[in-house]
């Protein structure tokens, strides 16, 4: 490995060739401030906040894009550097709305933190400010161009990670905005509403649509029976929003906190995740047995669904017809649960706590009303839920651990691992193996489909059939898998696709920051949770068994078909217009 | 014990507990703003209102006592609306300039707005236009940011007994200020900065001098030396997110080097020297019938308080300069000589837990070296800001030792940072100097701790030395009244201006409250315990400086460089003038 | 003592004092001297008789002939015609607006027919500067009775049994308050008379103090005996000069006669009273703010609990009662609780003094049994709306009360009924407003008052009262929009529920009630709209009222 | 502060210093005697009561009857609360401002009159009403203003 040795603020640092000055400084214990920089994704030197002095260079260098050179002498903290950084920041601030006190990102804003770290006490440049209307066209994401600092991180994620390119720089100079084509609203764009852009936005320019008030209103209406479901990935991330370290498992506290907010029943999406395995597993077996369309592709991830509807409509028949666990839950809450509890379904309101912004869109899809009511009434992201907890003054870390309510709160480890990439596949295989072979699985842990690798493949011998599976997360990887399928070379039977990096634990509604390291912590927690459970296979879930016995009959039965399955629609692609 | 229901949960608490406190025990942190853990209840912000069944209006939970069978709700739609409206009303008259505010990200109003999810201010902006005050070298006041919570009023009047901040005018025109629109420098303000700790927002803060230090560091002609006060090493960590009381001495030294200081020295060195000078002064006064009791003179807030309030007692003050000023004087004489540097090129920066030190350094008499003894004083907070701006990963820094010779010190000097510390250090030395015997027990527990006034008697071979220790100026005032009455019979009195001593100084990280002070105090005594040398007279560098430079305590050179005098001051000066 | 055949009572209440009644008195004395009637006719300077609009009033006894708007020039005629010849002077007689005829003697006037004078029984009847006249009407008898024949607990019980509720506005049971103070630990205890009357439209306490100051002193001494207090303070508005003079004079003469001070009536009971003055702060009418002010600070309310009966003035147990409440006490002691209960309603026994002002024929002071309807007061006692105008609304209980419209005029007036109707009985002020007025303009005047009088201690009141004013001023100025009404409602809800003291808590009442009843009139001002009453000129611009205090 | 004023303030302090809660009576005495509370007088009061001067200022600025600046010989207080308002106070105030050629809050150049708003002073039975120093004038109309002012000119 070739190394270079350079001198940063008087310290000698040896780094790998190709390392940037920014990274080298970090190794030397110096944090150079950054704003537009996003490791590996957005290394564009646009914001100029990370300027440093390099001996011999006429002007200051952006350390995020300047490679370390042998014998280079770098000063990160000279008066020239400080003055330049401050001037840059002042210029950015001069075109930024002064409304921290009402901003959704206040106290969690990178620009605010930079202003603090730089000790900004005045902004010398007053003048014109960009004026743009708020884009509230989509049910998931709000875009506020006035708060945009044009760092382009969102555009980078949208293009490089998700391969969607729904937003990109438009116009030029002072008039530049990051927006969908023609500065249209997100609803009119190819945007899949995954919300990855909200995770990387340093300010309040892109954020989830805030539906908190709707939930407060539901909770305060005594005539309404409000039930809540929590997605698998939320229990390993809510803690972060409440000041705990990444990967803290807070299931019991989450339940307790939801009760404190006043929900009438606290249920778990994991329950319908188990149910999904039953329905999807039987669907797969059925397709294999009857020569149905293969490979079959999972349908839990609403960003992925919207993506395929926009970009690969000709493959819609490959999608499992199963609704996502969130929607299955809603449909059952207003039928099965209503019946069991003797409550008029018109009085039942379903709130979902999801790691996902696209779920807000999914809940609003026209077809999601098979119970006779909207299956799910309000979807909150993990971030919104944390905000509710804070406003309610809940001392989260001190809450006692409480249990979910029965019956829709009884779950297995298989339901839980839906939260991580590969989890649906693993859960499905645990069940499919035993259902088909009638034998218990030797090892429950299918390491081959776990982990952060973009596309994972495996072949599992189920009886005499070698089942070939693939797992992908992020839409960029999904695209690769789809192209493989299109080419006809893949030979997969079953494919799991999750829209967001790392799966739902990296969803666009999760606490900020969400980065690689944090995703790994959350994944670790998911599998720790699975390993700690007594029941780890969906078909062993007694509540699921009871549900079939009492209500649904059998997987893929008529009631299932009506309540738990759905269909997809082809969507227009803007770029084709 | 009283049992009540909060949000459907039964809670049992002692009678007299407030609803706020009871709710905390039930895991509900009701939002607060004017509430301060160390202060009496004010109930003026009304942010902590709750529903108490049977009461027509909401009740302020911080003030409302629990009662048997009481039914409380803390999170109803009406409460959320009311709290948010109250905060919106405050925000609508508050400058919307978080991004350039001193308290950005450390502001209680900002975090409250975030917590309550305020996304819109329904009311027109009507910012109160009242003049700011930058008259003093230590503190600024910006009443346009004042939310009239009166925490500073309480601190100034009740904790410090100084009483220069009051609400003036009435109704929506009310704000907190000294009378007659005077600047802090025109009145009997001690510049202690305790009001900064009380203030939830950026209405009061220290005068930021980081720019001057950055400039000095960037000037290649200047030889910039820095001294760090004892109390800073157990507090600076808080500025970079470490728990209160974390001992960060070595990392602080390393960080200062990274910032570019040419020499990193320690005020502890001159604290040891102070013990030598002050101890001998006390013995001299005892022997020769000098003015007694003698008071310590390390705390510049205390000195200014005496000058304003008890000018007739100025002869009771030790003539010793504070350790900060002794350091400056020696840096530009002894150190300059030793290092062979022109004292005109030496620039002394102090890192102090104190805002009043900024004033002290500017006193006209503080130039016995022929130059300003100390050029710039930074508070712990300002140093924290420099470290953050420089992007130094503080917790990853390797520990670094102080430079010689002004960086060699003892445990006796470290404890200067806590109330009672100067007294204990003095007694450790005085005992051994007078008796010639080693101390049987080095820890003087009676002078330690957060009790307001501590007294002790020490037998110095037949002479019974009566001492007292006070911290916080209202305690100082009580001591002064007892001295005045002539009943006390004390010989030596240590007074520190700030509650807890310097660890609770007005320049320390925010928040500083009793809980935090206790942690920092623990840190201080731990450092002392772990040092090999714990008595000032055993400090080899002190020994050396007397041998090489000063000759003897209270000698001619000491007198010239290390001692000073005091100036009576009026309580209110003419407008525009200095008090 | 010489008997007189006639008395000429000249009202000296502040409202009449505007017209220099001393000149009237001098004129009478001169005329009586000249006609040599001096020994048989006595001229008495009394407190307020009630009919302030008609002042200065003169009543000639024994007939009870009521003369109105008397000037010194009329005196000769009254003396020569009435006192010499026994022929009342017709042109000066009170003209009953309802009856459209003159009234020979005042009890015939409808103004007096529904009145029951308990608290006011001496007002306009005796010379308030004469302790002898007070004693002659049974004064200090009750004090003597409690000191010589009753245990303190018995006194508390009698007050409790009477059902008397505080007349300052809140309607708290007086007996209960006394009991709490009597039981409270801590010495010394205090009795405070709250005479910091500041509620706009209210002047009852002023006129009671001017007309019958000894009643208050007697009641305070009784309260002191009942609760174990030996020191009393009367905190009175600095502007109430005549009341202050009367009180100081009364204290002096009571001390001279041993009715105040050490060893009262030889019973060994000591009680002293001092008068203390306010300096211009409405909020000092709030009891804890009053204590702060009396102690020498800013008159800012304290947090309750602790309540004054536990920790009041200087942190000691304190009974603080309103002037009118205290004025009822001697009568309750004298005639017994049952008698008191026979007046008024079961929930609120007794009488209530109201002050009539605004667009009403008979402005002034009246006393009626609790439970009387507003309609009776306005149309029977008050003589209706002058100038052929129509009744639009009445504000009850002063500016911190609410407003009522025509439909509510038949509600019986007592604390609970009024509160249920969204307004308040409060201090007893009745401001009648006719249809020539604009509701927005009137509401702005209410809001301005609170903005000016908020003490600034608690955040919602400090900021909220100012916002109420600014929003309404904007509407009056033609800058309003529907959003403003939403804001007013939001602010009103917040102010109603959250402030530290009743000032802020009641500030939204007049706004909430006018919005409830007159919303279209607010809305008419929006945009390029106009003020239906034609009061708010210059739409779109700032009106005259927008200027600051 | 002249010697005479100083002595006068001393005398007022002496009169009240032993009553409980003496600050307001003292300030009232000074206000009445001198027409306003000078800074020097407030310092003197603070010193004699052992209270911080700023606290005296704080109290003085709370009450509307106190003025920290000199005012006219006659202080005209006009009520603008609802009872006076609906009986025509705005026109009366406008007339006063016109007659004196000052706005509320100001003092005439000859130092004779100050015009101030006040809250209700309880003479609503004869509204609209004003106070001129201690004198009350009621049932006012714009046309009666000249006569009222005439008494003080």
């Amino acid at each position: 490995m070739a190394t270079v040795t350079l001198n940063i603020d008087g310290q000698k640092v040896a780094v790998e060739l190709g390392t940037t000055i920014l990274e080298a400084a970090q190794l030397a214990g110096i944090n150079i401030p950054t704003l537009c920089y996003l490791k590996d994704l957005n290394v564009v030197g646009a914001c100029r906040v990370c300027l440093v002095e390099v001996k011999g260079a006429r002007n200051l260098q952006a350390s995020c894009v300047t490679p370390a050179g042998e014998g280079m002498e770098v000063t990160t903290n000279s008066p020239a550097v400080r003055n330049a950084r401050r001037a840059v920041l002042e210029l950015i601030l001069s075109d930024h709305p002064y409304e921290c006190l009402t901003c959704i990102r206040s106290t969690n804003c990178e620009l605010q933190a930079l202003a603090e770290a730089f000790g900004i006490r005045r902004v010398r440049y007053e003048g014109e400010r960009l004026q743009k209307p708020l884009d509230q066209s989509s049910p998931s994401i709000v875009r506020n161009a006035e708060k945009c600092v044009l760092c382009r991180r969102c555009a980078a994620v949208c293009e490089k990670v998700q391969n969607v390119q729904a937003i990109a720089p438009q116009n030029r100079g002072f008039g530049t905005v990051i927006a969908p084509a023609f500065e249209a609203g997100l609803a009119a764009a190819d945007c899949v509403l995954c919300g990855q852009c909200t995770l990387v936005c340093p300010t309040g320019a892109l954020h989830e649509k805030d539906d908190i008030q709707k939930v407060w209103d539901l909770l305060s209406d005594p005539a309404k029976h409000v039930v809540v479901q929590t997605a698998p990935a939320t229990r390993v991330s809510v803690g972060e929003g409440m000041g705990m370290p990444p990967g803290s498992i807070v299931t019991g506290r989450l339940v307790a906190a939801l009760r404190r907010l006043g929900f009438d029943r606290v249920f778990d999406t994991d329950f319908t995740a188990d149910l999904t395995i039953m329905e999807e597993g039987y669907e797969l077996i059925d397709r294999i047995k009857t020569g149905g369309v293969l490979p079959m592709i999972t349908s839990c991830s609403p960003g992925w669904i919207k993506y395929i509807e926009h970009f690969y409509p000709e493959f819609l028949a490959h999608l499992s017809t199963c609704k996502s666990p969130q929607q299955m839950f809603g449909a059952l809450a207003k039928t099965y649960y209503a019946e069991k509890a003797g409550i008029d379904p018109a009085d039942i309101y379903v709130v979902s706590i999801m790691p996902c912004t696209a779920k807000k869109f999914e809940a609003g899809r026209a077809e999601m009303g098979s119970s006779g009511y909207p299956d799910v009434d309000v979807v909150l992201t993990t971030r919104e839920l944390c905000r509710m907890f804070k406003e309610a003054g809940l001392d989260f870390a001190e809450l006692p651990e409480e249990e979910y309510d029965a019956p829709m709160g009884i779950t297995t480890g298989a339901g839980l691992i839906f939260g991580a990439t590969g989890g649906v596949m693993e859960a499905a295989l645990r069940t499919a193996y035993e259902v088909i072979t009638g034998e218990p699985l030797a090892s429950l842990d299918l390491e081959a489909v776990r982990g952060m690798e973009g596309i994972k493949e495996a072949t599992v011998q189920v009886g005499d059939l070698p089942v070939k599976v693939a797992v992908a997360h992020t839409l960029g990887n999904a695209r690769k898998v789809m192209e493989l399928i299109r080419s006809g070379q893949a030979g997969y039977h079953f494919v799991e696709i999750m829209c967001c990096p790392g799966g739902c634990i990296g969803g666009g509604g999760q606490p900020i920051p969400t980065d690689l390291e944090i995703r790994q912590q959350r994944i670790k927690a998911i599998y720790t949770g699975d390993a700690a459970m007594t029941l780890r296979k969906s078909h062993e879930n007694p509540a699921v068994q009871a549900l079939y016995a009492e209500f649904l009959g059998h997987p893929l039965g008529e009631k299932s078909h009506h309540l738990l399955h759905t269909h997809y629609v082809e969507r227009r692609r803007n770029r084709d217009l | 014990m009283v049992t009540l229901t909060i949000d459907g949960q039964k809670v049992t608490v002692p009678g007299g507990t407030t609803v706020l406190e009871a709710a905390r025990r039930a895991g509900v942190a009701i939002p607060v703003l004017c509430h301060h853990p160390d202060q009496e209840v004010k109930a003026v912000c009304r942010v902590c209102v709750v529903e108490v069944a049977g009461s027509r209006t909401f009740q302020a939970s911080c003030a409302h006592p629990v009662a048997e069978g009481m039914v409380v709700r803390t999170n109803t739609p009406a409460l959320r609306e009311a709290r948010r409206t109250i905060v919106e009303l405050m925000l609508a008259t508050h400058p919307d300039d978080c991004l350039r505010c001193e308290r950005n990200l450390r502001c209680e109003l900002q975090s409250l707005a975030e917590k309550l999810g305020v996304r819109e201010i329904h009311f027109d902006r009507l910012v109160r236009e009242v003049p700011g005050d930058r008259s003093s070298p230590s503190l600024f006041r910006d009443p346009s940011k004042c939310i009239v919570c009166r925490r500073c009023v309480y601190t100034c009047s009740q904790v410090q007994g100084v009483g220069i901040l009051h609400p003036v005018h009435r109704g929506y025109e009310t704000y907190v200020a000294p009378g007659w629109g005077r600047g802090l420098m025109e009145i009997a303000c001690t510049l202690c900065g305790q009001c900064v700790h009380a203030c939830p927002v950026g209405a009061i803060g220290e005068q930021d001098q980081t720019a001057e230090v950055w400039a000095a560091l960037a000037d290649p002609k200047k030889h910039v030396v820095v001294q760090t006060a004892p109390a800073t090493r157990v507090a600076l960590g808080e500025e970079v997110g470490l728990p209160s009381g974390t001992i960060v001495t070595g990392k602080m030294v390393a960080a200062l080097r990274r910032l570019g200081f040419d020499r990193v020295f320690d005020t502890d060195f001159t604290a040891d020297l102070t013990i030598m000078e002050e101890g001998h002064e006390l013995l001299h006064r005892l022997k020769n019938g000098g003015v007694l009791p003698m008071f310590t003179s390390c705390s510049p807030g205390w000195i200014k308080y005496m000058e304003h309030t008890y000018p007739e007692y100025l002869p009771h003050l030790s003539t010793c300069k504070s350790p900060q000023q002794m350091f400056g004087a020696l840096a530009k004489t002894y150190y300059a000589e030793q290092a062979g540097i022109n004292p005109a090129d030496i620039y002394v920066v102090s890192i102090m837990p104190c805002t009043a030190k900024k004033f002290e350094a500017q006193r006209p008499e503080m130039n016995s070296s022929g130059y300003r003894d100390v050029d710039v004083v930074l508070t712990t907070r300002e140093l924290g800001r420099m470290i953050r701006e420089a992007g130094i990963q503080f917790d990853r820094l390797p520990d670094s030792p102080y430079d010689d010779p002004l960086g060699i010190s003892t445990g006796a000097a470290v404890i200067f940072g806590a109330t009672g510390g100067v007294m204990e250090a003095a007694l450790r030395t005085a005992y051994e100097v007078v008796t010639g015997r080693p101390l049987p027990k080095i820890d003087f527990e009676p002078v330690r701790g957060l009790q307001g006034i501590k007294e002790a008697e020490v037998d110095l071979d037949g002479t019974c030395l009566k001492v007292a220790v006070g911290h916080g100026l209202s305690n100082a005032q009580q001591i002064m009244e007892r001295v005045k009455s002539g009943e006390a019979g004390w010989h030596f009195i240590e007074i520190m201006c700030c509650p807890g001593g310097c660890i609770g100084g007005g320049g320390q990280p925010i928040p500083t409250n009793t809980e935090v002070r206790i942690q920092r105090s623990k840190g201080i005594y731990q450092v002392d315990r772990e040092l090999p040398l714990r008595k000032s007279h055993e400090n080899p560098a002190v020994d050396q400086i007397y041998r090489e430079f000063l000759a003897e305590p209270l000698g001619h050179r000491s007198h010239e460089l290390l001692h000073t005098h005091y100036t009576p001051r009026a309580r209110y000066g003419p407008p525009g003038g200095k008090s | 003592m010489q008997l007189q055949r006639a008395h000429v009572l000249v009202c000296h209440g502040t409202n009449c004092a505007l017209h220099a009644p001393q000149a009237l008195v001098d004129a009478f004395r001169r005329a009586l001297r000249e006609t040599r009637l001096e020994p048989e006719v006595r001229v008495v300077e009394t407190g307020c008789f009630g009919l302030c609009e008609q002042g200065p009033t003169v009543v000639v006894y024994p007939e009870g002939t009521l003369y109105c708007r008397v000037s010194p020039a009329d005196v000769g005629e009254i003396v020569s015609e009435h006192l010499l010849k026994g022929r009342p002077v017709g042109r000066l007689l009170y003209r009953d607006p309802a009856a459209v005829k003159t009234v020979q003697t005042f009890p015939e006037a409808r103004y007096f027919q529904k009145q029951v004078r308990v608290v006011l029984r001496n007002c306009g009847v005796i010379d308030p500067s004469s302790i002898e006249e007070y004693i002659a009407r049974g004064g200090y008898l009750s004090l003597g009775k409690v000191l010589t024949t009753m245990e303190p607990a018995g006194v508390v019980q009698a007050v409790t049994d009477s059902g008397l509720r505080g007349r300052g506005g809140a309607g708290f049971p007086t007996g209960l308050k006394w009991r709490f103070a009597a039981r409270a630990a801590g010495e010394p205890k205090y009795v405070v008379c709250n005479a910091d009357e500041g509620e706009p439209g209210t002047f009852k306490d002023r006129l009671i103090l001017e007309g019958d100051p000894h009643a208050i002193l007697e009641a305070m001494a009784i309260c002191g005996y009942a609760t174990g207090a030996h020191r009393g303070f009367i905190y009175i508005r600095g502007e109430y000069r005549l009341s202050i003079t009367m009180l100081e004079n009364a204290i002096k003469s009571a001390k001279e006669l041993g009715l105040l001070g050490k060893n009262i009536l030889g019973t060994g009971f000591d009680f002293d009273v001092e008068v203390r003055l306010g300096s211009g702060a409405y909020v000092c009418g709030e009891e804890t703010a009053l204590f702060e002010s009396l102690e020498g600070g800013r008159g800012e309310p304290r947090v309750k609990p602790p309540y004054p009966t536990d920790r009041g003035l200087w942190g000691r147990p304190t009974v603080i009662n309103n002037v009118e409440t205290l004025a009822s006490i001697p009568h309750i002691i004298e005639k017994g609780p049952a008698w008191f209960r026979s007046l008024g309603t079961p929930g609120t026994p007794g009488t209530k003094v109201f002050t009539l002002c605004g667009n009403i024929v008979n402005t002034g002071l009246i006393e009626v049994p609790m439970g009387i309807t507003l309609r009776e007061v306005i149309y029977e006692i008050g003589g209706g709306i002058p100038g052929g105008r129509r009744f639009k609304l009445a504000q009850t209980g002063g500016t911190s009360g609410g407003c009522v419209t025509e439909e509510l005029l038949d509600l019986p007036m007592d604390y609970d009924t009024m509160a249920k109707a969204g307004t308040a009985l409060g201090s007893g002020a009745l401001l009648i407003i006719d249809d020539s007025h604009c509701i927005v303009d009137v509401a702005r005047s209410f809001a301005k008052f609170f903005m000016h009088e908020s003490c600034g201690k608690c955040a919602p009141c400090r900021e909220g009262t100012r916002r109420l004013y600014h929003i309404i001023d904007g509407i009056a100025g033609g800058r309003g929009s529907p959003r403003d009404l939403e804001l007013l409602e939001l602010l009103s809800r917040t102010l109603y529920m959250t402030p530290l003291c009743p000032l802020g808590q009641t500030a939204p009442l007049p706004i909430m009630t006018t919005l409830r009843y007159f919303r279209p009139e607010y809305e008419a001002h929006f945009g390029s709209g106009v003020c239906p009453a034609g009061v708010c000129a210059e739409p779109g611009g700032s009106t005259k009222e927008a200027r600051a205090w | 502060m002249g010697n005479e004023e100083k002595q006068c303030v001393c005398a007022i302090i002496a009169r009240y210093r032993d009553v409980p809660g003496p600050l307001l009576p003292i300030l009232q005495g000074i206000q009445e005697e001198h027409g306003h509370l000078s800074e020097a007088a407030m310092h003197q009061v603070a010193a004699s009561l052992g209270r911080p001067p700023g606290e005296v200022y704080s109290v003085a600025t709370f009450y509307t009857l106190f003025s920290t600046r000199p005012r006219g010989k006659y202080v005209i207080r006009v009520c603008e609360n609802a009872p006076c308002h609906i009986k025509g106070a705005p026109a009366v105030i406008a007339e006063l401002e016109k007659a004196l050629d000052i706005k509320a809050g100001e003092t005439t150049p000859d130092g004779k009159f100050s015009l101030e708003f006040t809250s209700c002073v309880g003479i609503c039975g004869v509204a609209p009403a004003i106070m001129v120093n201690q004198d009350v004038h009621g049932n006012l109309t714009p046309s009666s203003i000249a006569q009222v002012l005439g008494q003080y000119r």
Side-chain angles (χ1 to χ4, degrees), chain B residues 419 424 428 443-449 454 525 528 534:
Chain B
T419 167
E424 182 168 345
R428 288 181 192 173
D443 298 337
F444 282 87
E445 295 290 348
V447 297
R448 295 188 181 182
K454 294 162 279 188
Y525 287 107
D528 169 38
R534 296 182 63 193

Side-chain angles (χ1 to χ4, degrees), chain B residues 43-44 46 56-58 63 65 81 85 89-90 92-93 120 122-124 147-148 150 167 169-172, chain C residues 280-281 298 300 303 451-455 457-460 462-463 466-467 483 487 493 496-500:
Chain B
V44 298
R46 315 304 288 176
R56 208 259 313 142
T57 57
F58 296 148
E81 177 187 274
T85 306
L89 284 168
M90 287 188 217
T93 59
E120 189 186 355
H122 288 86
F123 307 99
D124 294 343
I147 55 163
V148 209
R150 305 180 183 215
H169 303 290
R170 184 169 94 184
Y172 68 90
Chain C
R298 293 163 65 89
E300 294 172 341
V303 173
M451 174 175 75
H452 189 240
E453 292 300 340
S454 167
C455 80
K457 186 178 184 183
C458 85
R462 178 180 68 238
E463 305 295 342
R466 173 164 70 149
R467 295 291 170 171
R483 190 186 132 89
L487 274 188
R493 285 196 298 274
Y496 191 61
M497 295 304 284
T498 64
L500 179 62

Side-chain angles (χ1 to χ4, degrees), chain B residues 12-47:
Chain B
T12 302
V13 292
T17 307
T18 62
V19 171
L20 178 73
E21 197 44 52
R24 284 200 174 148
R25 292 191 197 186
V28 180
I30 297 169
V32 291
L33 185 58
C34 70
H35 179 78
H36 188 288
D38 294 349
Q39 297 194 358
E40 69 180 12
V41 164
K42 293 167 210 67
V44 298
C45 76
R46 315 304 288 176
V47 165

Side-chain angles (χ1 to χ4, degrees), chain A residues 31 79 86 98 112 116 260 393, chain B residues 9 29 96 110 389 391 393:
Chain A
N31 287 327
R86 198 168 288 176
Y98 270 67
Q112 199 180 34
E116 193 278 332
R260 295 284 178 96
Chain B
Q9 292 184 83
D96 204 349
Q110 191 182 44
E389 184 172 353
Q393 295 174 15

Side-chain angles (χ1 to χ4, degrees), chain B residues 12 22 27-28 44 86 95 115 123 188 202 218 231 235 278 311 331 345 367 409 496 565 569:
Chain B
T12 302
V28 180
V44 298
I86 292 168
K115 203 182 282 175
F123 307 99
E278 204 167 76
D345 295 335
N367 61 352
S409 63
M496 290 294 154
H565 60 274
R569 292 172 199 270

Side-chain angles (χ1 to χ4, degrees), chain C residues 15 18 201 203 206 237 240-241 276-277 279-280 293 296-299 314 358 363 437 441 445-446 449 453 547 549, chain D residues 20-21 23-24 28 51 58 62-66 82 85-87 97 117 119-122 124-126 134 136:
Chain C
N15 289 348
L18 302 176
F203 42 96
R206 161 182 236 156
R237 294 193 64 170
Y240 279 13
R241 279 300 147 152
R276 300 297 278 270
L277 273 49
S279 279
S293 180
R298 293 163 65 89
W314 289 294
T363 61
H437 293 284
D441 179 60
S445 159
F446 298 150
F449 171 74
E453 292 300 340
R547 79 197 145 188
W549 282 73
Chain D
L23 181 54
L24 254 66
Q28 284 159 353
R51 293 169 81 162
S58 169
F62 185 84
Y63 295 97
T64 55
L65 292 188
F66 295 140
H85 184 83
I86 65 158
K87 292 292 266 295
E97 289 182 334
F117 280 113
S119 284
C120 178
V121 284
C124 325
V126 291
Q134 301 297 343
V136 176

